[in-house]
Amino acid sequence: MPHCSSILFCLFLQLFFAVQPCHRVVTYAADGGGWQLLQNNIGIAAMHMQLLHNDRVVIYDRTDFGLSNISLPDGKCRNDSRDLVVKNDCTAHSVEYDVLANKIRPLMVQTDVWCSSGAVFPDGRLIQTGGFNDGEDKVRTFLPCNNAKCDWVETGDALGARRWYATNHILTDGRQIIIGGRRQFNYEFYPKTSAPNVYSLRFLAETNDRGIENNLYPFVFLNYDGNLFIFANNRAVLFSYKADKVLKTYPAIPGGDPRSYPSTGSAVLLPLKNLRAATIEAEVLVCGGAPKGSFNQADTKRNFVKALDTCARIKINDPNPIWVMETMPAARVMGDMQLLPNGNVLIINGAGAGTAGWENGQNPVLNPVLYLPDDAEGSRFQRLNPSTIPRMYHSTAILLRDGRVLVGGSNPHIGYNFTGVLFPTELRLEAFSPPYLGKEFNDLRPTIVSSTAAQGKNIGYKQQLSVRFKVTGKLIADSVSVTMVAPSFTTHSFSMSHRLLVLGNEKVTYVGTSTYDIQVTTPGYPELAPSGYYMLYVVHQYIPSVGVWVKIA
């Protein structure tokens, strides 16, 4: 695509604010990353989190924890005769965190959002579905704004089934699919059409362990062919939601131990590469969990069994797919996995023994682990610097635009409990800075100057895209690439609708004064990148820039 300096100059003005780095003051140890305490008290436990395209994070826990530590604004109170704990509650159970300003704003949810799910629509609205008690069939919408006026809007009785511990995923047509939940062996779509409300999914019944479940919050990923990879318990299927049909059944993970809630592991779809190829390799990585029987041991006998220390990796489109097993540096249950802008995976939070559930975890795992998917098998894990804050049951982690990972939550109690317990309810909010944010890499770090994918301007599918960036040190042209990351809705150790696409590097051109243009092609179709907002990065020698928001449609 020919270079157009006038367009780039105009886009530079649009991007000036978007590329400003988020607030960061970090002390680093060599190569192991750094931790920063952002807020000492956000008022609630960060059980669910979603980053929106205005660099604000919506966070919420549940309405029946009791009174939170942050009041609703302007004298508001939530009056709910069906609430199980506080029927007139003037405290908030949801907040908005402004990443750039490092400030918290209380939000109001009317009914119980405990253990719910969600995803972001292509237009940027956060759609949250289900919950507990009077919230189990509700849908709540949050439209991002840059003032203090936006808040949750609730739609009553909007779902066809109660959705508690379900999983959502954005689809190619902009709808969401909502899969499973407690005693729900089915799925449905939102928004609704004239089609039936609820469809049976036998796979969820087959993966249900009686009295334990071990199939809640299933791991769901959109394959490049438009079908869904659905993992529950210890096995998976490839499912066509259009034909309502299982297309492929994958083998169980060797050993047969459960990886789904409450024996909670985590999972990611590894970065999608070579996007213009006829066949794209798609791999799923599942890490951690708990051995068979661990939940009953912890829940009834207070015996906390060591968590699983293995990961299982599978090429989901192979004719004869098999799980390849790897060993983590430490056992982990209730960990979170996040795709980083350079294609590596961060494994963070969780416990070394027990399971999810009230008081069921022990031995907090304070050290994050970096997983390098492109390295040789046997050398893919790196242990990173520890936090000082245990992040147990009901913890979360999400990627921010500047490359940090936001970490919050931990409340293994049936209510807010701050004293006399091993792991008090945790209201502090932290950021973990992966090693690539170290000052020693400043001369290698790209800074995006402008792009033909500027904020406020949509990019299409299979289009040429030019990104202008600066690198003050020596540039190695064939080690530069562009990536796009879909921010996740994260809860209970799973990051829903999270994906990373490597757009690659077709040409790098020097344009003067440490400044370069890189040319790439956008994803070819919505099955690769569902329409919506993504964070776009330039990566040089595995060191990513601060991202910029783009919208593909």
Side-chain angles (χ1 to χ4, degrees):
M1 181 177 66
H3 172 64
C4 179
S5 58
S6 61
I7 291 177
L8 290 176
F9 176 75
C10 293
L11 294 176
F12 168 78
L13 297 178
Q14 296 180 41
L15 279 164
F16 178 76
F17 178 77
V19 300
Q20 299 307 303
C22 302
H23 178 74
R24 177 166 65 247
V25 179
V26 184
T27 300
Y28 283 90
D31 299 324
W35 288 89
Q36 176 192 9
L37 180 63
L38 300 171
Q39 291 280 335
N40 197 52
N41 182 353
I42 66 169
I44 65 172
M47 189 187 301
H48 314 74
M49 292 202 294
Q50 170 76 59
L51 174 67
L52 301 175
H53 68 274
N54 60 352
D55 288 316
R56 302 189 184 197
V57 180
V58 173
I59 305 171
Y60 62 91
D61 54 14
R62 54 184 283 202
T63 62
D64 55 359
F65 265 159
L67 299 177
S68 77
N69 278 26
I70 184 169
S71 297
L72 288 166
D74 305 322
K76 290 182 181 178
C77 294
R78 183 179 62 86
N79 296 296
D80 184 357
S81 62
R82 293 183 60 190
D83 193 272
L84 300 178
V85 178
V86 182
K87 301 187 186 306
N88 181 263
D89 188 352
C90 301
T91 65
H93 296 278
S94 178
V95 299
E96 178 190 68
Y97 174 63
D98 186 332
V99 177
L100 299 177
N102 191 29
K103 291 183 178 179
I104 290 289
R105 179 172 72 92
L107 303 173
M108 183 172 178
V109 289
Q110 180 60 37
T111 54
D112 200 350
V113 289
W114 176 28
C115 297
S116 58
S117 50
V120 175
F121 268 175
D123 63 6
R125 287 177 295 158
L126 171 58
I127 306 298
Q128 181 276 335
T129 57
F132 178 65
N133 189 27
D134 59 349
E136 62 189 15
D137 60 356
K138 304 296 191 295
V139 172
R140 303 161 191 88
T141 303
F142 187 89
L143 178 64
C145 68
N146 291 319
N147 53 44
K149 296 182 179 179
C150 49
D151 209 334
W152 289 104
V153 176
E154 183 167 304
T155 303
D157 304 325
L159 299 177
R162 63 195 297 265
R163 298 295 172 189
W164 192 30
Y165 299 90
T167 295
N168 292 26
H169 202 296
I170 194 70
L171 300 175
T172 58
D173 59 5
R175 292 182 300 164
Q176 295 182 30
I177 189 169
I178 310 165
I179 300 176
R182 178 152 284 172
R183 292 180 288 280
Q184 296 296 335
F185 309 128
N186 52 56
Y187 65 96
E188 63 182 293
F189 300 95
Y190 188 83
K192 296 297 180 186
T193 65
S194 58
N197 280 335
V198 178
Y199 301 81
S200 176
L201 183 55
R202 184 177 177 82
F203 171 70
L204 294 178
E206 294 170 346
T207 52
N208 178 55
D209 291 343
R210 180 172 293 184
I212 302 172
E213 294 168 303
N214 279 335
N215 68 342
L216 301 180
Y217 281 120
F219 306 145
V220 180
F221 302 105
L222 179 66
N223 194 16
Y224 78 90
D225 61 5
N227 298 311
L228 296 173
F229 178 91
I230 304 176
F231 179 99
N233 200 315
N234 56 19
R235 54 199 184 273
V237 294
L238 188 67
F239 182 71
S240 170
Y241 65 88
K242 294 179 180 179
D244 188 29
K245 180 180 179 181
V246 171
L247 304 177
K248 180 187 292 187
T249 299
Y250 297 91
I253 291 180
D257 289 314
R259 311 273 179 159
S260 299
Y261 184 96
S263 300
T264 305
S266 189
V268 291
L269 174 68
L270 291 176
L272 296 173
K273 305 176 182 178
N274 303 315
L275 303 185
R276 299 168 72 182
T279 302
I280 298 171
E281 187 170 272
E283 292 187 85
V284 169
L285 180 71
V286 179
C287 291
K292 294 176 184 176
S294 295
F295 177 77
N296 282 341
Q297 286 289 318
D299 199 54
T300 62
K301 300 180 180 179
R302 313 315 291 161
N303 177 34
F304 304 99
V305 178
K306 180 183 176 182
L308 299 175
D309 64 359
T310 54
C311 293
R313 179 169 168 172
I314 192 169
K315 296 179 179 180
I316 68 175
N317 296 316
D318 272 13
N320 298 295
I322 60 170
W323 293 99
V324 177
M325 304 302 293
E326 302 179 71
T327 302
M328 295 187 289
R332 193 181 303 251
V333 64
M334 298 181 288
D336 284 285
M337 296 172 69
Q338 281 286 299
L339 295 165
L340 300 179
N342 62 3
N344 292 334
V345 181
L346 185 71
I347 308 172
I348 197 167
N349 296 341
T355 67
W358 304 131
E359 323 287 349
N360 281 357
Q362 294 281 301
N363 305 339
V365 183
L366 300 176
N367 292 83
V369 168
L370 198 61
Y371 179 83
L372 289 67
D374 295 334
D375 279 21
E377 188 177 343
S379 59
R380 291 175 176 155
F381 293 98
Q382 294 181 0
R383 189 192 298 262
L384 303 176
N385 289 329
S387 173
T388 59
I389 301 174
R391 299 291 183 179
M392 306 293 280
Y393 186 40
H394 289 148
S395 298
T396 46
I398 59 169
L399 176 69
L400 298 177
R401 180 173 59 84
D402 64 0
R404 293 178 301 164
V405 174
L406 187 69
V407 179
S410 188
N411 188 16
H413 317 294
I414 201 164
Y416 296 117
N417 197 336
F418 302 102
T419 59
V421 290
L422 187 59
F423 303 112
T425 301
E426 187 53 69
L427 305 183
R428 286 174 288 182
L429 194 66
E430 295 176 286
F432 177 70
S433 295
Y436 55 57
L437 287 173
K439 294 179 180 178
E440 63 269 31
F441 300 120
N442 282 354
D443 63 335
L444 300 178
R445 192 181 327 282
T447 299
I448 296 177
V449 176
S450 59
S451 166
T452 52
Q455 188 175 25
K457 177 179 178 178
N458 294 354
I459 57 175
Y461 292 99
K462 206 174 183 180
Q463 290 185 353
Q464 290 289 293
L465 171 67
S466 180
V467 182
R468 177 163 289 186
F469 66 97
K470 286 180 174 287
V471 169
T472 58
K474 182 180 178 180
L475 184 93
I476 300 177
D478 60 5
S479 72
V480 181
S481 64
V482 174
T483 62
M484 287 172 51
V485 183
S488 64
F489 179 97
T490 298
T491 189
H492 290 76
S493 300
F494 184 53
S495 293
M496 303 176 194
S497 300
H498 193 32
R499 65 203 291 115
L500 185 151
L501 300 107
V502 180
L503 305 189
N505 169 357
E506 294 168 19
K507 184 180 180 181
V508 174
T509 304
Y510 176 70
V511 296
T513 320
S514 303
T515 305
Y516 306 83
D517 287 341
I518 183 170
Q519 187 168 297
V520 297
T521 301
T522 61
Y525 42 91
E527 287 77 6
L528 279 176
S531 179
Y533 287 92
Y534 291 75
M535 296 176 285
L536 183 138
Y537 297 87
V538 174
V539 181
H540 176 225
Q541 297 187 55
Y542 286 94
I543 308 301
S545 66
V546 170
V548 296
W549 287 106
V550 300
K551 183 181 180 182
I552 190 167

